[in-house]
Amino acid sequence: MQFPAYRPRRLRKNENLRRMVRETDLSVDDFIYPLFVTPGEGFKKEISSMPGNYQMSIDLIVEEAKEVKDLGIPAILLFGIPEVKDEAGSEAYAEDGIVQRAIRAIKKEVSNLLVVTDVCLCEYTSHGHCGIVRNGEILNDITLELLAKEALTHAEAGADIVAPSDMMDGRVAAIRSNLDENGFQDIPIMAYSAKQASAFYGPFREAAESTPQFGDRRSYQMDAANSLEAIREVALDIEEGADIVMVKPALSCLDLIHVVKQEFGYPTAAYNVSGEFSMVKAAAERGWIDERRVVLEILTGIKRAGADIIITYHAKDAARWLGE
Ligand code: PBG
């Protein structure tokens, strides 16, 4: 036998061979597309740091949701920007809050599209933190009640999945029991379980107008240096009743996606966040990278790491490219 006996290049010779032995298949089925809903009518404003993404009023969000569905994307993730923000983030859990009204409108007009809702206070509080603030501290336990209320109003409006992103301790259990007590035992929770205090959320905070007015989120979001703690966070959320667990951000956390999937075998989501999106867009606009190839490579990498679900602002483009 001649050396080398095994020549990996034999199976790379042409596209049919490569297709046959490809290990990871990226599909439109994997995507969730985030949308930002605002008050008003006929309102559409591009988010400057996230080209191609908009704040939109309910009427236009409904149209957008139809387009997303027609592209074959199974789900959207809704974020709300309220008319007024206050200390307690009241519109987050108001029956006629912006997200609650948007869910009703989408559910009325668009069939066969999952509506996932972000459950958090930061878009609704005047101080921009994800919980109730007293003396400069973000209080955990009284925030839980509000989050549970918010999730319930989303479910009542017709949300298919609720996704708590606040990182308060115990919120999955609080939300689960409030949903169960009110007849929503079949609504799944997708928990932002290992969510890091990350600089990659910068552009999102422009989109959601949710930059904290003082301090930062490090007293509740995870330290990016920790992976054993990420496992504990995921274990805790599963114990409390999470159906889908999430790692966020995605690109700087591929190791966590991998270990979470291996360790728990739960449906695992990864959030390809705003800053990751904006970096690609900026480089592509300058002609420094091939956007299409880079995006598909990134999304495939996230899937290969172990993600079953990828929340991404690239979803519409990727759906088109995968369909070609
Ligand atoms: C709300 C929330 C954030 C993101 C998702 N939900 C922002 C934050 O925690 O500061 C970030 C999404 C993104 O950057 O694309 N808590």
Side-chain angles (χ1 to χ4, degrees):
M1 191 173 60
Q2 258 187 309
F3 181 81
Y6 180 59
R7 291 174 181 268
R9 290 186 56 189
R10 284 179 195 130
L11 297 180
R12 294 179 198 150
K13 239 180 342 200
N14 59 51
E15 182 55 15
N16 277 343
L17 279 167
R18 291 192 293 268
R19 270 171 64 202
M20 222 161 46
V21 300
R22 191 160 288 148
E23 297 173 35
T24 306
D25 268 316
L26 186 67
S27 148
V28 67
D29 299 341
D30 308 328
F31 301 150
I32 299 181
Y33 187 59
L35 289 173
F36 301 93
V37 61
T38 54
E41 236 197 280
F43 181 86
K44 180 170 181 176
K45 182 176 156 215
E46 188 163 32
I47 300 148
S48 64
S49 53
M50 298 172 69
N53 289 264
Y54 303 83
Q55 295 179 338
M56 276 181 266
S57 52
I58 292 175
D59 52 326
L60 298 182
I61 284 277
V62 169
E63 294 312 308
E64 181 75 7
K66 283 181 190 158
E67 193 184 321
V68 171
K69 177 215 155 150
D70 289 342
L71 284 165
I73 297 166
I76 55 169
L77 173 60
L78 268 189
F79 294 94
I81 299 115
E83 193 105 47
V84 279
K85 306 195 184 216
D86 59 25
E87 289 271 305
S90 319
E91 203 175 319
Y93 39 88
E95 265 165 46
D96 61 346
I98 182 72
V99 162
Q100 290 81 352
R101 282 186 286 134
I103 301 165
R104 288 196 180 90
I106 294 166
K107 282 291 159 188
K108 199 166 145 221
E109 302 284 334
V110 193
S111 59
N112 210 9
L113 176 74
L114 295 173
V115 176
V116 187
T117 57
D118 188 83
V119 175
C120 195
L121 296 187
C122 62
E123 298 116 70
Y124 307 92
T125 51
S126 44
H127 43 72
H129 278 289
C130 304
I132 294 300
V133 174
R134 205 161 289 156
N135 302 324
E137 249 188 76
I138 291 81
L139 301 183
N140 195 88
D141 296 10
I142 65 166
T143 300
L144 297 183
E145 267 171 61
L146 304 179
L147 294 166
K149 212 164 135 184
E150 180 179 8
L152 179 59
T153 59
H154 290 174
E156 284 168 344
D160 297 290
I161 299 176
V162 293
S165 72
D166 51 282
M167 289 300 278
M168 298 298 120
D169 295 333
R171 88 271 205 222
V172 174
I175 290 170
R176 185 71 272 159
S177 67
N178 201 33
L179 288 175
D180 290 356
E181 278 162 25
N182 288 280
F184 292 100
Q185 57 284 337
D186 293 332
I187 297 293
I189 297 176
M190 175 169 77
Y192 289 69
S193 302
K195 175 173 174 180
Q196 300 184 338
S198 165
F200 284 106
Y201 310 154
F204 172 93
R205 293 180 187 168
E206 180 202 336
E209 300 173 10
S210 63
T211 307
Q213 298 303 300
F214 68 89
D216 54 40
R217 301 207 203 289
R218 285 177 223 229
S219 76
Y220 42 106
Q221 298 180 344
M222 274 189 54
D223 188 323
N226 297 351
S227 78
L228 296 174
E229 188 190 5
I231 294 173
R232 291 198 297 275
E233 277 281 8
V234 172
L236 202 56
D237 283 359
I238 288 174
E239 232 169 81
E240 292 181 25
D243 302 281
I244 300 169
V245 292
M246 195 198 300
V247 172
K248 178 180 172 209
L251 283 186
S252 52
C253 301
L254 293 172
D255 59 325
L256 300 183
I257 297 170
H258 184 75
V259 77
V260 163
K261 186 59 187 291
Q262 295 284 313
E263 180 94 11
F264 300 99
Y266 257 61
T268 303
Y271 202 139
N272 176 218
V273 300
S274 56
E276 301 172 20
F277 170 84
S278 302
M279 291 193 303
V280 170
K281 280 287 177 188
E285 270 175 18
R286 282 162 181 74
W288 291 347
I289 56 169
D290 176 336
E291 180 176 359
R292 176 179 169 146
R293 289 190 56 202
V294 165
V295 167
L296 293 176
E297 188 173 326
I298 285 174
L299 298 176
T300 301
I302 294 170
K303 182 147 190 207
R304 192 190 63 233
D308 304 288
I309 297 168
I310 306 171
I311 304 165
T312 178
Y313 305 96
H314 297 295
K316 282 170 60 183
D317 286 334
R320 278 188 208 104
W321 293 329
L322 290 171
E324 280 167 12

